[in-house]
Amino acid sequence: METISLPQARRMALAAQGFGGRRPEAPSSLHLRRTIDHLHLHQIDSVNVLSRAHYLPAFSRLGGYERADLDRLAWGPPGQRRLFEYWAHEASLIPFDLHPLLRWRMAQADRGETGWGQMKLYAGERRPEAMALLERIQSDGPMAASDFETHKGRPGWWEWSDTKRTLEWLFWAGHITTAERRGSFERVYDLVERVLPEAVLAASTPTDAEAHRGLIERAARAHGVATEAELRDYFRQPLEAARRATMELAEEGVLIPVSTPGCRRAWVHRDARMPRKIEASALLAPFDPLIWHRDRAERLFGFRYRIEIYVPAEKRLHGYYVLPFLLDEGLVARVDLKADRQRGRLMVRSVHLEENAPPDTRDALEAELGRMADWLGLEEGVVSDPGSGDVAER
């Protein structure tokens, strides 16, 4: 079994995630599509303290692309749309070609084999209620939860009404999908056949085993080098199915076993690149696929990262919405950011440098913050001294 050093593993991971190449001077919709196809998904999250999470991974890799291009790919008119919403790693925007590979998950939900809370009930005893809601959408057209007179829940992210739970089960089971996002990012649902192109729906459905192999293979391409658990986590696949898929791909020579420091066996895709060096500068969203597996980020980069949104303010170590800063081959700082849209400013509420941060970290970070502010249409408002919670005007 080949041994890969830690610096080699870092470079492979960064290259697989789309870092290390020169950013385009004027990122186009084509650049954006290539980035999404490379990563296979952009995770969606409700927090909008800086920018919605699905916009940030492309900025980290491309720089100042047009966010409207992503909106068109995700929720645009027929002919422009290239993405659909579904549960992959978490709620995600996913290229159309992955739809067949995720139908096993929809089928399991439809049979009541998966789901959370009371959602499984809609596959069984409460199925008539779900079908009645589906018929309502079929006859009346796209609808959000707030359009139903039976929607009694409060608007909070976790406080779903029965109507919202029913809609989410229909979504999980593949009966409906997101037609558009409305107002405060509320999901508007419609029948899958009225949203996705006919060619996508007509694509043959693979067996469950074929689908799991396809997902593991894509996860391996996106990782560069990864453990079995990390490959499985990319699309949140079941343990046994993912393990069988990994072994089958290894037997076919698609995945190659290697060892790395801290990991006796990992997997490398046969087409993975191992660059001699990586030159990069990027702020990473908390939900960026490079770092969403926290143990992997710690093993590869020596960077312990935990999102502290749900931690009481007085117990936070680094801040509310903290973005790690990638400089070349290391995660060298973390920055607590907020978009003050009322005053048109990017607020840098704290900066913490890592012990291994090189001398040029602050200059590189300042430059990247300026690029982010320009992309968001904001002025860079405040900065703080590294490692300090004190914020001073620039």
Side-chain angles (χ1 to χ4, degrees), residues 162-201:
D162 279 350
T163 300
K164 176 64 175 174
R165 279 192 289 269
T166 309
L167 289 167
E168 283 299 311
W169 177 80
L170 289 167
F171 179 87
W172 181 243
H175 296 289
I176 57 178
T177 190
T178 307
E180 61 178 310
R181 289 281 186 165
R182 177 195 295 170
S184 60
F185 209 54
E186 184 182 21
R187 183 181 276 155
V188 179
Y189 305 87
D190 199 2
L191 302 182
V192 170
E193 55 266 31
R194 293 202 294 231
V195 176
L196 300 187
E198 184 179 346
V200 174
L201 299 177

Side-chain angles (χ1 to χ4, degrees), residues 68-379:
D69 287 343
L70 183 53
D71 290 339
R72 279 189 290 272
L73 293 177
W75 304 290
Q80 296 185 28
R81 190 179 295 217
R82 296 289 185 276
L83 307 172
F84 71 103
E85 284 189 38
Y86 191 59
W87 292 93
H89 180 76
E90 291 285 348
S92 304
L93 288 171
I94 312 166
F96 283 159
D97 67 326
L98 263 71
H99 188 274
L101 296 182
L102 292 167
R103 289 176 189 164
W104 62 271
R105 177 169 285 157
M106 300 173 193
Q108 285 185 349
D110 191 60
R111 295 191 297 265
E113 296 171 6
T114 60
W116 59 92
Q118 299 178 6
M119 284 181 61
K120 289 184 181 181
L121 296 177
Y122 296 100
E125 62 188 78
R126 299 188 68 174
R127 192 179 188 95
E129 298 173 42
M131 294 300 104
L133 219 61
L134 184 63
E135 290 173 9
R136 175 82 180 272
I137 293 172
Q138 185 173 18
S139 61
D140 293 0
M143 301 180 77
S146 60
D147 293 326
F148 289 86
E149 59 276 7
T150 54
H151 179 61
K152 305 294 185 183
R154 289 184 282 171
W157 182 252
W158 301 111
E159 300 184 50
W160 287 359
S161 66
D162 279 350
T163 300
K164 176 64 175 174
R165 279 192 289 269
T166 309
L167 289 167
E168 283 299 311
W169 177 80
L170 289 167
F171 179 87
W172 181 243
H175 296 289
I176 57 178
T177 190
T178 307
E180 61 178 310
R181 289 281 186 165
R182 177 195 295 170
S184 60
F185 209 54
E186 184 182 21
R187 183 181 276 155
V188 179
Y189 305 87
D190 199 2
L191 302 182
V192 170
E193 55 266 31
R194 293 202 294 231
V195 176
L196 300 187
E198 184 179 346
V200 174
L201 299 177
S204 61
T205 300
T207 65
D208 287 6
E210 290 168 342
H212 287 298
R213 282 197 299 273
L215 293 174
I216 290 291
E217 201 256 344
R218 282 163 175 77
R221 286 184 181 275
H223 275 88
V225 56
T227 65
E228 179 189 293
E230 291 158 4
L231 294 178
R232 183 174 76 246
D233 183 64
Y234 206 79
F235 291 103
R236 296 287 167 86
Q237 294 170 256
L239 173 62
E240 291 304 322
R243 180 164 293 166
R244 282 194 299 270
T246 302
M247 292 300 105
E248 289 169 6
L249 289 169
E251 290 171 6
E252 295 168 13
V254 176
L255 298 184
I256 301 168
V258 298
S259 64
T260 64
C263 179
R264 286 192 297 175
R265 184 167 74 170
W267 298 98
V268 169
H269 193 281
R270 64 186 173 192
D271 297 332
R273 294 192 302 116
M274 188 186 291
R276 293 184 177 179
K277 67 175 182 177
I278 293 287
E279 294 181 354
S281 178
L283 289 159
L284 304 174
F287 309 104
D288 191 289
L290 180 67
I291 57 169
W292 68 31
H293 198 290
R294 308 307 192 202
D295 290 345
R296 183 172 188 258
E298 191 164 356
R299 189 180 76 252
L300 287 179
F301 299 99
F303 189 84
R304 179 174 171 78
Y305 178 59
R306 300 292 184 271
I307 191 166
E308 298 181 275
I309 290 173
Y310 305 109
V311 176
E314 66 276 8
K315 294 184 179 180
R316 291 178 194 139
L317 297 177
H318 300 107
Y320 180 78
Y321 199 76
V322 174
L323 279 69
F325 179 53
L326 171 71
L327 183 60
D328 298 333
E329 299 175 14
L331 296 173
V332 299
R334 51 191 95 205
V335 195
D336 186 16
L337 296 179
K338 174 181 172 61
D340 185 342
R341 298 175 183 91
Q342 207 167 25
R343 294 196 293 167
R345 310 181 85 178
L346 176 63
M347 310 300 289
V348 186
R349 301 194 287 192
S350 71
V351 177
H352 294 83
L353 301 189
E354 298 297 292
E355 290 182 5
N356 63 339
D360 61 343
T361 295
R362 189 170 183 81
D363 290 341
L365 177 57
E366 288 277 352
E368 195 62 28
L369 287 168
R371 283 188 281 269
M372 174 169 278
D374 289 343
W375 175 61
L376 295 173
L378 303 170
E379 295 182 6

